[in-house]
Amino acid sequence: MRICLSSSRTVRSYTSSCNVSTRGVKILKDWSLNTFQEQAFKPAVPSLLPTRAPDSDRTVSKWFVRAKDNLGYELSQDYWKPHEKIQVPLEFISYNDDGTVSFQRSYLRLGLFLEAIKSETSTSSVKLYLAQCQLTELPKAVQEDIETPHLVLDAGRGDVYDSNIWMGRPPTYTPLHRDPNPNFFLQIAGQKKIRLYPPDVGASVFDLVQRQLGVQGRSAVFRGEEMMKGDERRILEDVVWNDEAGHHQKFCQQAVVQGGNALFIPKGWWHSIKGFSHGINASINWWFR
């Protein structure tokens, strides 16, 4: 499939209907195994499970406390403080005065994140994001708070390749990429907006962006550091989140997930994610088959 992108200097006349909260994503009626297998997993169709996940309230009640303004949640310092010495992957994102974004990823003490998140706001120029932290890197007591959804264990072969936690104060951002296995994405706190493209459309968009950057042969499997800064971040963000970016937007699907919702992302489907709303934003995902 050939995709054309509009130049930023061109007057754009095409507007996608992808700016509504949910567009094109199938909404499943319940969390039953039969519904998930027949309507989502087997046909490889992106699907939203809008009702609250079983046991999600238990995790929320232990990990978070209600924000003072009652808008969203904050981390429970009493719960997390005993684990402050463990090393976790933290992303440092700096929004510079010239409009550029600096990015660095390091393994550091969880305590640094706990302290920073207390004073950080949505408009802070420097933000920390606990991103793509494997659940196996967390203390066993924390792992036991998270029950792998029965749909992940029973829909296919029961193979779970990896599971990760994502926590930070919005806005958060994950650039356009694809996963090598089906992805079950569960929102725990806050809200996230996910935009998705079919495999052929997403591949064409990504390849065109790479050619525009003068790059060849780069893979977009998982979330590469090069996508998080410089021209690549700017162009990838614009091509996905600007509704007038080009013809490819008519293939865009979009879902909004909030606490207790889950989104099934089939293998090979390209997606980009933005966190918004008040308080802490937290998600867990499982790659499985």
Side-chain angles (χ1 to χ4, degrees):
M1 177 177 294
R2 185 178 181 183
I3 300 293
C4 297
L5 303 184
S6 300
S7 166
S8 60
R9 298 181 180 178
T10 302
V11 176
R12 296 173 174 137
S13 58
Y14 177 79
T15 301
S16 166
S17 58
C18 201
N19 57 359
V20 297
S21 61
T22 299
R23 172 186 182 269
V25 176
K26 177 186 285 291
I27 301 176
L28 303 184
K29 64 179 181 179
D30 55 42
W31 281 69
S32 73
L33 180 59
N34 182 68
T35 297
F36 181 71
Q37 283 181 318
E38 298 305 319
Q39 297 186 27
F41 185 74
K42 289 181 179 178
V45 173
S47 301
L48 178 67
L49 293 95
T51 54
R52 293 194 69 81
D55 299 321
S56 63
D57 287 339
R58 182 187 65 181
T59 303
V60 170
S61 66
K62 297 182 73 172
W63 288 14
F64 310 105
V65 295
R66 270 289 180 186
K68 291 181 179 180
D69 59 7
N70 211 33
L71 297 175
Y73 292 92
E74 297 294 338
L75 286 179
S76 171
Q77 295 286 331
D78 290 341
Y79 176 87
W80 291 102
K81 196 73 172 175
H83 310 302
E84 64 179 351
K85 293 183 179 180
I86 67 169
Q87 300 283 308
V88 293
L90 293 178
E91 294 182 353
F92 290 77
I93 302 100
S94 299
Y95 298 92
N96 306 316
D97 292 339
D98 61 0
T100 60
V101 177
S102 301
F103 176 86
Q104 182 178 352
R105 178 181 169 91
S106 302
Y107 271 82
L108 296 165
R109 292 172 61 252
L110 175 64
L112 177 64
F113 176 73
L114 297 178
E115 285 301 313
I117 209 72
K118 289 192 291 186
S119 58
E120 187 181 294
T121 69
S122 61
T123 58
S124 297
S125 60
V126 178
K127 301 182 72 64
L128 265 66
Y129 191 31
L130 178 66
Q132 207 164 317
C133 175
Q134 293 179 311
L135 294 185
T136 54
E137 296 178 298
L138 298 175
K140 189 169 182 60
V142 177
Q143 295 181 44
E144 290 175 349
D145 291 336
I146 306 163
E147 185 172 341
T148 302
H150 72 283
L151 300 179
V152 170
L153 296 173
D154 299 334
R157 302 179 186 176
D159 297 331
V160 180
Y161 288 92
D162 199 4
S163 53
N164 292 268
I165 184 171
W166 313 73
M167 285 201 302
R169 195 175 298 281
T172 62
Y173 170 68
T174 294
L176 184 69
H177 69 288
R178 59 185 173 86
D179 298 328
N181 291 293
N183 184 349
F184 193 89
F185 186 92
L186 176 64
Q187 189 69 7
I188 300 297
Q191 294 178 290
K192 279 191 168 114
K193 184 181 294 184
I194 302 102
R195 288 194 167 184
L196 307 103
Y197 298 93
D200 56 343
V201 175
S204 295
V205 171
F206 186 80
D207 289 346
L208 189 56
V209 169
Q210 297 305 300
R211 290 198 300 272
Q212 188 172 340
L213 292 166
V215 176
Q216 292 183 347
R218 177 176 291 168
S219 171
V221 176
F222 298 117
R223 186 175 187 263
E225 183 172 330
E226 68 282 346
M227 302 176 180
M228 297 298 296
K229 58 187 178 182
D231 288 342
E232 184 158 352
R233 176 188 173 112
R234 176 181 56 81
I235 296 172
L236 275 175
E237 186 169 7
D238 181 72
V239 77
V240 173
W241 295 97
N242 184 337
D243 289 326
E244 298 181 349
H247 177 68
H248 64 283
Q249 290 294 42
K250 76 176 185 177
F251 300 100
C252 172
Q253 295 189 27
Q254 176 170 291
V256 172
V257 291
Q258 56 188 349
N261 295 165
L263 179 70
F264 171 65
I265 305 173
K267 175 182 176 180
W269 273 72
W270 295 71
H271 50 284
S272 180
I273 305 173
K274 284 192 173 185
F276 63 102
S277 73
H278 298 276
I280 290 295
N281 201 298
S283 316
I284 305 171
N285 82 288
W286 291 263
W287 286 300
F288 72 107
R289 67 176 182 180

